[in-house]
Amino acid sequence: MNSNHIRWKPKSEEERQSQRLQQIKTVYLIGTDEKSFAPRLTAKSWIVVDSNSGDVIYAYNENQRREIASITKIMTFYVVLNMCKTMNVQTNNTYAEVSLQASLVGGTTANLLKGDVLSIDDLFYGLMLPSGNDAAMTFAENFGIYAMYQNKIKGNNPIIYFIQEMNNKARELRMSQTTYANPHGLNNKNNLSSASDVAKLCNQLLKDEFFRKVVNTKIHFCTIQDEEGFTRDVMWENTNKLLYQGFRGIKTGNTSVAGPCLASYYQSNNRSFTIVILGCRNQEDRWSETMQLVQWCLSQIQ
């Protein structure tokens, strides 16, 4: 029989909506240039979730365990923030001192020097804006001591106990693909997470007003006292270029193993999205591919 002569029964509106929903959920595996389909990406894994409900809108290899570079610092922030709340620490007038070890950690830096003293508030900005590995180590050293005290542990390496606390928090949040091995995200085969787990952590922290403020800050100025008692003014600029494109944070990351990574938060009218992309082809692709994902999301709800 000639197929041109076949007349198919028209679908009901309910059937069309069901088909459309299924298409949205599965089409990212195909890739096409048509507007109704998700874009092709170079990222090795990615996810888009509703920031309020946590529902997955669509994803690709979202449970794949990978190194996540400085995306790790989101958990460092979360651990310190929770410790401060538990101890009733006034973060604007409580201070941390930078050790020699922290000042020499290497990689992206807040340009902290041995003996520098700065407020916990400012250290949060130094962690997230310039992606300071020195800031991450300073947090781990200072708050690792608290973790040791809290658990009545005797020892001389507070960083180990801070990392244990990072992993404890990951378990509490049911981040089942995540294990932390350092507080900054430099290359380590045991420092692993997934796009799905990172999105869970981001959504948890987005409930906190101070976190939202920090990650949405383009430039932060602060005053640091050095070990001689002199002060200097510093300026940190956020590494997240999408803050100038309507996004509201959260964190960049990049190492030779993890590749360029980005966790982002976007809000439009009554909809908000958390987007995590890991292992992009190059630095620029993480910006453009995140924007493509958001634009596709918005096109589907118009």
Side-chain angles (χ1 to χ4, degrees), residues 173-193:
L173 295 174
R174 298 184 179 180
M175 297 168 62
S176 57
Q177 288 98 33
T178 299
T179 55
Y180 293 104
N182 61 51
H184 40 62
L186 289 173
N187 289 342
N188 187 307
K189 64 181 181 180
N190 297 314
N191 198 76
L192 303 170
S193 190

Side-chain angles (χ1 to χ4, degrees), residues 65-261:
R65 301 187 78 208
R66 301 181 50 82
E67 290 197 34
I68 57 170
S70 286
I71 302 292
T72 299
K73 295 184 177 88
I74 303 171
M75 179 57 85
T76 301
F77 191 114
Y78 183 63
V79 169
V80 174
L81 186 66
N82 276 275
M83 286 185 176
C84 287
K85 290 178 178 179
T86 300
M87 295 186 291
N88 294 315
V89 171
Q90 301 297 312
T91 55
N92 62 331
N93 58 16
T94 302
Y95 298 83
E97 183 173 341
V98 180
S99 71
L100 177 63
Q101 180 184 9
S103 69
L104 297 177
V105 69
T108 53
T109 179
N111 293 314
L112 302 177
L113 306 174
K114 174 184 174 294
D116 279 353
V117 175
L118 66 165
S119 74
I120 301 302
D121 262 8
D122 286 330
L123 198 56
F124 276 125
Y125 285 93
L127 176 76
M128 301 301 280
L129 272 64
S131 197
N133 294 334
D134 43 5
M137 286 292 285
T138 300
F139 270 138
E141 290 173 346
N142 283 271
F143 284 85
I145 292 172
Y146 169 71
M148 292 169 64
Y149 173 77
Q150 186 182 43
N151 295 288
K152 298 179 180 180
I153 296 170
K154 293 182 179 180
N156 58 4
N157 192 344
I159 297 171
I160 292 175
Y161 299 103
F162 185 85
I163 295 168
Q164 284 184 5
E165 194 62 25
M166 294 172 73
N167 286 306
N168 289 340
K169 290 300 181 187
R171 285 191 291 272
E172 287 178 15
L173 295 174
R174 298 184 179 180
M175 297 168 62
S176 57
Q177 288 98 33
T178 299
T179 55
Y180 293 104
N182 61 51
H184 40 62
L186 289 173
N187 289 342
N188 187 307
K189 64 181 181 180
N190 297 314
N191 198 76
L192 303 170
S193 190
S194 66
S196 177
D197 278 0
V198 171
K200 284 182 187 177
L201 177 59
C202 289
N203 280 355
Q204 181 67 26
L205 269 166
L206 284 168
K207 299 173 184 177
D208 186 85
E209 182 180 0
F210 179 66
F211 175 78
R212 294 196 306 272
K213 177 184 176 183
V214 171
V215 298
N216 195 31
T217 299
K218 297 181 178 72
I219 296 175
H220 180 74
F221 297 90
C222 77
T223 300
I224 297 176
Q225 179 179 297
D226 67 21
E227 62 181 344
E228 300 296 329
F230 296 101
T231 60
R232 70 181 187 278
D233 295 327
V234 300
M235 180 192 79
W236 293 315
E237 185 173 3
N238 204 316
T239 57
N240 192 345
K241 294 182 180 180
L242 292 187
L243 292 181
Y244 298 91
Q245 303 294 330
F247 287 73
R248 302 190 180 189
I250 299 169
K251 188 74 191 72
T252 60
N254 184 38
T255 64
S256 59
V257 176
C261 305

